[in-house]
Amino acid sequence: MSLEDRKPYCIDLDNPIAVYVQIENQVQFAIASGRLKAGDSLPSVREMSMMLDINPNTVTKAYRDLELMQMVVTRRGVGVTVTGTAPDICRRKAGAMVKMHLQDAVAECNACGMPAGEIRKIVSTTLESKVLPYERG
């Protein structure tokens, strides 16, 4: 399945990361990668909650946090749009976050005695599958 055929957002209820943080992260990744650009609109709270089958309050919290981080702005009658400064903020923040996660994951593999070849195979398989965060591959 290509990236274009996938739903733009998904959540993993079995993931220990809170659902609202999963939404925040996915919006940041979409901005950092250029899939969302300055001025683009996010789905409305209602649309996002229906898309993900979650409580609208969860989406509201994610959007409010993104606004506090200056990545989006909410305007009555217009909706939630990506700010002009968001791409730079997201590239910096998301890059640092994923680097830390990857370092932690490899350190955990090392700590449990996983052979380096197996770690490399997992990384290669994941790269080739193009699986997205919180998407069960």
Side-chain angles (χ1 to χ4, degrees):
M1 176 184 319
S2 72
L3 288 176
E4 295 78 31
D5 296 334
R6 295 179 172 151
K7 289 193 288 183
Y9 303 97
C10 59
I11 56 168
D12 179 2
L13 295 174
D14 295 326
N15 194 302
I17 297 173
V19 171
Y20 76 93
V21 176
Q22 291 182 43
I23 296 167
E24 291 171 16
N25 288 345
Q26 289 180 80
V27 170
Q28 289 179 67
F29 297 150
I31 295 169
S33 71
R35 288 191 317 269
L36 279 176
K37 297 176 181 16
D40 285 352
S41 294
L42 271 57
S44 71
V45 168
R46 179 185 216 170
E47 290 169 332
M48 183 72 89
S49 66
M50 289 173 52
M51 181 188 321
L52 299 176
D53 194 26
I54 59 173
N55 190 304
N57 292 333
T58 304
V59 178
T60 298
K61 170 137 179 58
Y63 284 5
R64 185 175 44 241
D65 288 354
L66 289 165
E67 190 161 20
L68 290 171
M69 292 183 271
Q70 302 179 333
M71 295 176 193
V72 300
V73 63
T74 303
R75 286 190 220 104
R76 184 168 289 246
V78 176
V80 180
T81 56
V82 177
T83 66
T85 57
D88 288 336
I89 294 169
C90 289
R91 277 190 293 273
R92 191 173 51 255
K93 187 175 179 350
M97 177 178 56
V98 297
K99 182 178 179 180
M100 182 183 72
H101 288 314
L102 187 56
Q103 289 170 334
D104 287 347
V106 171
E108 289 172 358
C109 291
N110 288 334
C112 73
M114 188 179 289
E118 191 173 341
I119 298 168
R120 286 185 188 91
K121 183 177 180 185
I122 292 168
V123 171
S124 293
T125 301
T126 304
L127 283 169
E128 290 166 11
S129 73
K130 299 196 184 314
V131 66
L132 296 173
Y134 321 115
E135 179 181 66
R136 293 293 172 163

